[in-house]
Amino acid sequence: MDFNDTPEEAAFRAEARAWLERNAEPRDSEDRSEGVLQEGDKPGALAAAKAWQKKKAAAGWVCITWPKEYGGRGGTPIQSVIWGQEEARFKTPPPVFAIGLGMCGPTILAHGTDAQKKRWIPKLVTGEEIWCQLFSEPSAGSDLAGLRSTAVKKGDEWIVNGQKIWTTGAQFSDWGILVVRTDPNVPKHAGLSYFVVDMHSPGIEVRKITQINRSTGFNEVFFTDARIPDENRLGAVGDGWRVALTTLMNERASIGGGGGGGDPFGDLMELARSVEIDGRPGLEDAAVRQQLADFYVKSRGLAYTGYRTLTALSRGQTPGPEASLGKLVGAPLMQQMGAFGMELEGLAGGLGGRTAPDGGTWQNHFLAAPGLRIAGGTDEILRNIIAERVLRLPPEVRVDKDVAFRDVPGGRA
Ligand SMILES: Cc1cc2nc3c(=O)[nH]c(=O)nc-3n(C[C@H](O)[C@H](O)[C@H](O)COP(=O)(O)OP(=O)(O)OC[C@H]3O[C@@H](n4cnc5c(N)ncnc54)[C@H](O)[C@@H]3O)c2cc1C
């Protein structure tokens, strides 16, 4: 493991930091914004996010690894990570382009035709169009290939019917990536096709879902005879699973590799120092110290695992299973630290929103972490991946693997 920047990386970091210092304000300790896509719903957030993306694009600071011909910088993965680390130190609008840039763009670049790349990539780069991911359904999440929404070809168009759910940001998206069943007569993975859909088309209804923390980042999306031109298909008919895997690999990498600018462990230490337990600072309590030590060990373990990923990127290698490990340990840790922070706050810990101490930081961690434990692969699915691909344990039994989808119980679309 190498913790230091190479001379080239240090020069790139200095250039990035200098540009950010000229164009953005540093984050301060009072800044409670969470930097999540869902905050795009706040008044003025979309306009601010679009303006920031446009400014960065004009200066060449977006899509660091994408080809220059489509508006990217033509840089390396480690430069992309360095830019992310530096940008996290500054106040920036909610990342409403995260799904487009992290998942849709890379999939279009990998599987799209030249015409498709020219149509969609530049406006993604400059922040003119926002994207969402229409994969999950009420009965297809972990088992995504079991989805039931259908598309039937009619002339040069596909007629889409069905329902998607948990679609983050659909309420303000212009385009969506969509996987649907185009052939129920073959095994589930073989009967899927992948499309790009105009979210403003007739026949698409977006309904917001209100979450436990009152955020409305998710939606249900209903398709009733919605039409998609065949030219919006990514990859061959029936090859949608292969295209979807590109999206899912990019999703896991973008969730697992997130750096973030905060220091939750340091904040928790501060809180423990400031509260009183039996007339003494909380930090002097043996049980508090033991719990903090446990959090510290896990936090450092995560940090060093992250450095391993960075070292691999810096050497031009592909990182291993660290992204799955980081999310599997990091998301539950965030939930446990949230719960402990609320406990340290005593009765006030039960308050919510702006009335809570510290602007509700610990309450937010506690309520948002379960979502992180599900998105981009649940804890159990990540364990399966680690068991099968890292530890080489025998694979799960998959009884529906070679059966035509229409013959799988409940499989009829
Ligand atoms: C914050 C967040 C954002 C999201 N954004 C989007 C989005 O923008 N677009 C989109 O399409 N989807 C999105 N999702 C949906 C997400 O992809 C699914 O929730 C996820 O894939 C899990 O699917 P599910 O909810 O149907 O749960 P299920 O797959 O039904 O799982 C239920 C339970 O069964 C367990 N389980 C399932 N299969 C196995 C197995 N084989 N072995 C052991 N245990 C198993 C799971 O671990 C879980 O505990 C989002 C979810 C969250 C939480």
Side-chain angles (χ1 to χ4, degrees):
M1 235 188 278
D2 185 351
F3 301 104
N4 299 312
D5 286 341
T6 62
E8 295 77 32
E9 287 163 9
F12 178 84
R13 189 184 294 282
E15 193 189 339
R17 191 174 295 180
W19 188 86
L20 284 160
E21 278 166 356
R22 285 195 306 275
N23 292 281
E25 274 181 62
R27 271 175 87 104
D28 53 45
S29 54
E30 298 303 304
D31 184 359
R32 297 289 170 210
S33 65
E34 288 177 77
V36 291
L37 194 152
Q38 284 86 340
E39 290 182 346
D41 248 4
K42 290 188 177 167
L46 284 187
K50 286 187 172 189
W52 177 237
Q53 183 73 10
K54 191 174 169 190
K55 192 173 194 176
K56 286 192 294 182
W61 289 113
V62 288
C63 309
I64 305 284
T65 58
W66 294 11
K68 282 188 179 163
E69 75 177 291
Y70 298 114
R73 194 183 172 96
T76 61
I78 190 72
Q79 288 180 337
S80 182
V81 171
I82 291 173
W83 168 262
Q85 290 171 337
E86 292 302 317
E87 192 183 19
R89 296 150 45 98
F90 290 81
K91 280 187 197 165
T92 51
V96 297
F97 304 102
I99 290 176
L101 298 174
M103 291 146 69
C104 310
T107 309
I108 295 168
L109 285 171
H111 299 278
T113 61
D114 272 355
Q116 289 173 329
K117 290 179 199 170
K118 284 194 181 110
R119 164 63 191 90
W120 289 309
I121 297 292
K123 289 193 175 180
L124 190 46
V125 171
T126 52
E128 286 162 77
E129 292 175 339
I130 301 178
W131 289 63
C132 64
Q133 177 202 20
L134 299 148
F135 280 23
S136 304
E137 298 187 0
S139 60
S142 303
D143 180 22
L144 178 61
L147 60 82
R148 296 181 196 179
S149 293
T150 58
V152 176
K153 185 117 189 274
K154 203 170 174 191
D156 287 340
E157 291 182 322
W158 292 84
I159 313 298
V160 180
N161 282 285
Q163 185 200 341
K164 296 290 174 177
I165 193 167
W166 314 126
T167 319
T168 310
Q171 73 272 39
F172 45 70
S173 286
D174 302 295
W175 295 95
I177 44 172
L178 173 74
V179 186
V180 283
R181 188 160 305 282
T182 45
D183 186 356
N185 299 312
V186 292
K188 60 182 183 179
H189 292 90
L192 304 175
S193 301
Y194 194 118
F195 296 90
V196 170
V197 57
D198 179 348
M199 293 300 288
H200 308 297
S201 315
I204 300 182
E205 187 193 347
V206 177
R207 291 188 205 158
K208 284 187 188 181
I209 300 173
T210 304
Q211 293 167 241
I212 192 171
N213 60 359
R214 282 174 278 168
S215 140
T216 50
F218 297 124
N219 302 271
E220 295 177 290
V221 181
F222 294 86
F223 291 84
T224 312
D225 292 333
R227 289 165 183 270
I228 304 179
D230 189 49
E231 64 192 29
N232 285 19
R233 176 168 41 79
L234 273 194
V237 175
D239 206 20
W241 183 249
R242 199 171 62 92
V243 184
L245 283 182
T246 302
T247 311
L248 296 174
M249 274 164 45
N250 278 286
E251 176 175 26
R252 211 151 283 155
S254 57
I255 297 179
D263 173 19
F265 179 78
D267 293 345
L268 202 53
M269 282 285 283
E270 273 314 306
L271 178 64
R273 228 175 243 126
S274 67
V275 297
E276 274 195 6
I277 297 176
D278 297 333
R280 290 162 55 202
L283 207 48
E284 290 179 18
D285 183 274
V288 170
R289 295 171 77 85
Q290 186 170 348
Q291 184 60 81
L292 286 173
D294 182 50
F295 290 151
Y296 179 76
V297 169
K298 286 191 180 140
S299 301
R300 294 318 295 160
L302 276 176
Y304 288 119
T305 307
Y307 289 137
R308 201 180 291 159
T309 304
L310 295 187
T311 305
L313 285 175
S314 175
R315 291 180 182 156
Q317 299 160 353
T318 307
E322 295 89 2
S324 294
L325 263 181
K327 188 167 117 56
L328 185 59
V329 177
L333 179 63
M334 190 53 84
Q335 192 173 356
Q336 289 154 15
M337 284 174 45
F340 192 63
M342 286 160 62
E343 214 177 308
L344 285 177
E345 287 172 349
L347 282 179
L351 294 171
R354 265 185 248 134
T355 51
D358 278 341
T361 303
W362 303 109
Q363 290 75 4
N364 272 340
H365 285 328
F366 181 69
L367 294 177
L372 266 188
R373 295 181 68 174
I374 296 169
T378 64
D379 287 3
E380 289 75 18
I381 294 302
L382 296 180
R383 284 200 179 91
N384 280 351
I385 291 172
I386 292 167
E388 291 180 24
R389 303 209 195 132
V390 182
L391 304 175
R392 302 280 170 207
L393 294 174
E396 252 196 304
V397 178
R398 295 181 171 106
V399 286
D400 57 356
K401 199 167 156 238
D402 300 315
V403 182
F405 185 71
R406 62 170 158 45
D407 296 331
V408 172
R412 260 171 220 285

